[in-house]
């Protein structure tokens, strides 16, 4: 398990990269991105749905609440990213997939 300092470093970098990717994708429409109290909120225009992405320091995971499901990502040294343990999907591709699923359902 990562120590607190390493987790903060990795999660800060991951959140910065995710925010850049989300802000770029936001221009295409369908959702808005906000950062509130260290969490990223993705708000969908049509349905009013909301995804929340937060670092969970005590457990050293990044949590995503989306599509009525909780996704818990662990740090992977091999991938140099936070990944979904069950299939190894990295943070940004996972969030992209979840957003596409939400937009398709609206």
């Amino acid at each position: 398990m990562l120590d607190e300092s390493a987790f903060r470093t990795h999660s800060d970098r991951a959140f910065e990269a995710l925010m850049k990717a989300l802000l770029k994708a936001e221009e295409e429409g369908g959702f808005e991105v906000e950062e509130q109290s260290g969490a990223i909120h993705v708000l969908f225009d049509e349905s009013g749905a909301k995804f929340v992405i937060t670092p969970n320091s005590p457990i050293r995971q990044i949590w995503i609440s989306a599509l009525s499901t909780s996704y818990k990502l662990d740090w992977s040294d091999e991938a140099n990213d936070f990944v979904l343990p069950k299939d190894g999907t990295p943070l940004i591709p996972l969030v992209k997939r979840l957003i596409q699923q939400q937009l398709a359902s609206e």
Side-chain angles (χ1 to χ4, degrees):
M1 180 186 272
L2 295 173
D3 66 29
E4 175 101 17
S5 176
F7 174 78
R8 286 188 191 275
T9 299
H10 291 312
S11 63
D12 287 349
R13 285 188 196 140
F15 267 57
E16 183 179 319
L18 179 59
M19 275 299 292
K20 285 181 184 178
L22 288 171
L23 291 172
K24 185 176 179 182
E26 180 183 49
E27 295 172 8
E28 297 171 17
F31 67 91
E32 294 180 25
V33 180
E34 298 176 353
E35 190 170 358
Q36 297 177 1
S37 304
I40 296 173
H41 296 253
V42 181
L43 311 165
F44 292 88
D45 301 334
E46 292 286 321
S47 65
K50 177 168 70 171
F51 293 0
V52 179
I53 306 160
T54 57
N56 188 319
S57 294
I59 301 173
R60 313 290 198 270
Q61 293 178 325
I62 290 180
W63 288 7
I64 302 171
S65 175
L67 304 173
S68 302
T69 305
S70 179
Y71 301 87
K72 298 175 181 176
L73 288 76
D74 295 317
W75 177 255
S76 167
D77 285 327
E78 184 178 299
N80 197 34
D81 203 347
F82 286 91
V83 300
L84 193 60
K86 72 177 186 177
D87 65 7
T89 304
L91 175 63
I92 291 175
L94 175 61
V95 171
K96 181 179 178 180
R97 184 182 80 209
L98 296 172
I99 288 171
Q100 289 171 340
Q101 288 174 352
Q102 178 65 39
L103 291 173
S105 72
E106 293 188 350

